[in-house]
Amino acid sequence: MPNLTAAQLRAARALLDWTQPKLAEVAKLSVPTVRRMESDRGPSASTEANVAAVRRALEEGGVVFLDPKECIDGGAGVRLKK
């Protein structure tokens, strides 16, 4: 599983029109944990289990995480499932 970035998490949440509290609820985490993962500290400041829970919640919501090599411009990204 490629590393996720804070920007990817924020973008994924925006694609689903979810608030931080909504993501926290679906991922069964606290709002401060979600905030911390979306901050400059990024997901790497959290536990692997928390990152996996957020990723799973967003993917079940319809988000697809794109690895940098999957993007023409070379950056990691997100999109909604077709």
Side-chain angles (χ1 to χ4, degrees):
M1 168 168 49
N3 291 334
L4 298 179
T5 67
Q8 279 180 296
L9 296 181
R10 290 189 303 268
R13 190 169 53 77
L15 283 172
L16 297 174
D17 196 25
W18 285 4
T19 62
Q20 288 179 336
K22 170 69 175 181
L23 176 55
E25 175 187 334
V26 174
K28 296 180 176 43
L29 298 172
S30 69
V31 174
T33 296
V34 170
R35 278 194 194 119
R36 188 171 43 255
M37 290 174 69
E38 290 187 359
S39 74
D40 291 340
R41 295 176 64 194
S44 63
S46 195
T47 66
E48 286 184 35
N50 287 351
V51 175
V54 166
R55 182 183 187 112
R56 187 171 39 255
L58 292 167
E59 287 176 337
E60 288 174 1
V63 168
V64 175
F65 289 94
L66 304 172
D67 193 76
K69 64 182 176 245
E70 295 179 275
C71 298
I72 294 171
D73 293 330
V78 294
R79 68 171 176 81
L80 289 175
K81 289 181 185 175
K82 294 180 181 181

